Amino acid sequence: MAVSLLSHEVSDLCIGKPPVRSLPITASVGEALAALKRCPENELCIVGSEKKAVVGKVRVADVICYLCSSEDNLFDPVGALNKPLSDLLIFKETGGAGTGRPIVRQIEPRASLFKAIDEILDGAGTLVVPIHSRTSWRKHHSTTAEFCWLTHEDLIRYLLGSISLFSHVTTLSISSLSLIRPITLSISQHEPAISAIPLLQQAISNGTSVAVLSDNGCLLGEISPPQLSSCDESVAAAIAALSAGEFLSYLEYQYHGFLPESFSNAIKSRLKEDGLNGLMNLMEEVSSGSLLSSGSSSDEESVQQKGHLGRTMSRGYGRRSPVEVVACSPESSLVAVIVQAIAHRVGYVWVVDGGEEFGGQDEEKLVGVVTFSDILKVFREQL
């Protein structure tokens, strides 16, 4: 059966996948952001001067991190949005995982499943696959290549179709399989949210997020790339003005569709104190046409009743709040963790230990994380 599985090609994983939307590298950062807002997939394929060459991948979270990456961008966010997209890609390459290897890699449709897994384990965050070419008869018969993405999740889902092959390991606990990796992307609730930007760049690269911890190391919530991608560009103002703990509350308000006026005024006041007038103007311009509106006092109380940081724990199925975290225990089985991650559309699961010394479920200490890369490594070894 293993021989049969390894005879499968990358093209088998691309069946039914739509082509990704692309943007030329000559576009500006602002043009990329505008295109992302119109893109349901919330990600764009960036192509070079030769249209068959993919040079990167951009999401809203990348733009937000870029706006918060330097004093120049913070003081003049409009100027940053007018910079060429190539500047953003250079920023991604130099501030991500730092492996020196491209995070987005092209792979041929006839490549083996084995090759795709090895590319992911070698540090690729996304594989881009040419699926077919489209000929434009209006532009001198020019041919434009089309591509689709393959992610860690795509490979995991595909391998689940042959789960019986791995049944002898999928029932074992993640602890016994040594899958729990130490936490490297974490921040204290008291630290400035903007200090999480370098960590978020790494999280974008490896498909995880940044844990926000209490003083005793308990998991309060997370700041993830998908959360940033669900916000508009004015979230850069909140990152520049708030602590990590306060930023979790901001994300909760965004999720519920309103931002209390008192919260908004506090952000503007801090921006004014720091002389970040450009971010203040950006925030006001976006809010004037935003769906966010001042919520009622009862709405505000409903959020605050969840705790100072609006923190909840989620182990169920269905939609989750941006400040809920997907977590398991060290004794959870491998298959349970896989199902949990796929159900919540994340590429990782936090591992927490709710010992009595931490007061039960409300005081669960973060002990590590399990990622799809770790799980793929187990499958690869079995194959």
Side-chain angles (χ1 to χ4, degrees), residues 183-186 196 199-200 202-204 206-212 219 221-227 320 324-326 346-348 350 369 371:
I183 297 298
T184 57
L185 303 181
S186 65
L199 304 180
L200 276 166
Q202 295 181 50
I204 293 172
N206 59 31
T208 58
S209 66
V210 178
V212 180
L219 182 59
E222 65 182 1
I223 304 173
S224 70
Q227 290 170 12
R320 65 190 182 98
E324 290 180 342
V325 292
V326 182
V346 294
Y348 60 94
W350 299 112
V369 66
T371 70

Side-chain angles (χ1 to χ4, degrees), residues 116-124 152 372-374 376-377 380:
I117 295 174
D118 285 345
E119 286 288 352
I120 291 291
L121 294 180
D122 188 45
H152 298 62
F372 274 164
S373 292
D374 303 319
L376 279 173
K377 186 176 181 179
R380 170 68 170 78

Side-chain angles (χ1 to χ4, degrees), residues 62-193:
D62 294 311
V63 177
I64 300 304
C65 287
Y66 179 68
L67 290 177
C68 298
S69 64
S70 68
E71 287 190 359
D72 288 344
N73 289 354
L74 288 172
F75 280 100
D76 185 15
V78 174
L81 291 173
N82 287 327
K83 290 181 180 178
L85 193 52
S86 56
D87 283 12
L88 173 56
L89 293 183
I90 293 173
F91 163 73
K92 279 173 60 75
E93 289 297 327
T94 57
T99 60
R101 298 270 285 146
I103 299 169
V104 177
R105 303 181 195 172
Q106 186 166 324
I107 189 170
E108 292 304 312
R110 295 189 64 83
S112 68
L113 174 62
F114 215 109
K115 171 68 172 175
I117 295 174
D118 285 345
E119 286 288 352
I120 291 291
L121 294 180
D122 188 45
T126 302
L127 299 178
V128 58
V129 186
I131 48 178
H132 57 77
S133 298
R134 180 179 60 193
T135 301
S136 173
W137 295 96
R138 295 182 179 179
K139 295 183 178 180
H140 309 290
H141 305 279
S142 62
T143 299
T144 302
E146 292 189 335
F147 307 89
C148 73
W149 298 128
L150 284 183
T151 64
H152 298 62
E153 181 181 343
D154 293 319
L155 291 171
I156 292 290
R157 285 180 178 272
Y158 192 78
L159 291 172
L160 279 179
S162 304
I163 193 65
S164 59
L165 177 64
F166 312 101
S167 59
H168 56 293
V169 294
T170 53
T171 57
L172 299 178
S173 70
I174 55 175
S175 177
S176 65
L177 290 169
S178 301
L179 283 177
I180 305 173
R181 65 168 63 188
I183 297 298
T184 57
L185 303 181
S186 65
I187 186 174
S188 165
Q189 61 176 319
H190 305 297
E191 293 183 67

Side-chain angles (χ1 to χ4, degrees), residues 51-64:
K51 294 185 178 180
K52 293 185 180 181
V54 176
V55 296
K57 175 181 180 180
V58 169
R59 291 178 282 189
V60 173
D62 294 311
V63 177
I64 300 304

Side-chain angles (χ1 to χ4, degrees), residues 281-301:
N281 295 335
L282 179 68
M283 186 177 178
E284 291 173 353
E285 289 174 6
V286 173
S287 64
S288 63
S290 173
L291 294 177
L292 293 178
S293 60
S294 298
S296 65
S297 58
S298 59
D299 290 330
E300 185 173 349
E301 289 173 1

Side-chain angles (χ1 to χ4, degrees), residues 219-221 311-316 323-328 350 352 361-362 364:
L219 182 59
L220 298 173
R311 179 264 193 185
T312 58
M313 297 291 288
S314 173
R315 291 181 177 79
V323 293
E324 290 180 342
V325 292
V326 182
C328 68
W350 299 112
V352 295
Q361 183 174 343
D362 290 334
E364 292 173 302

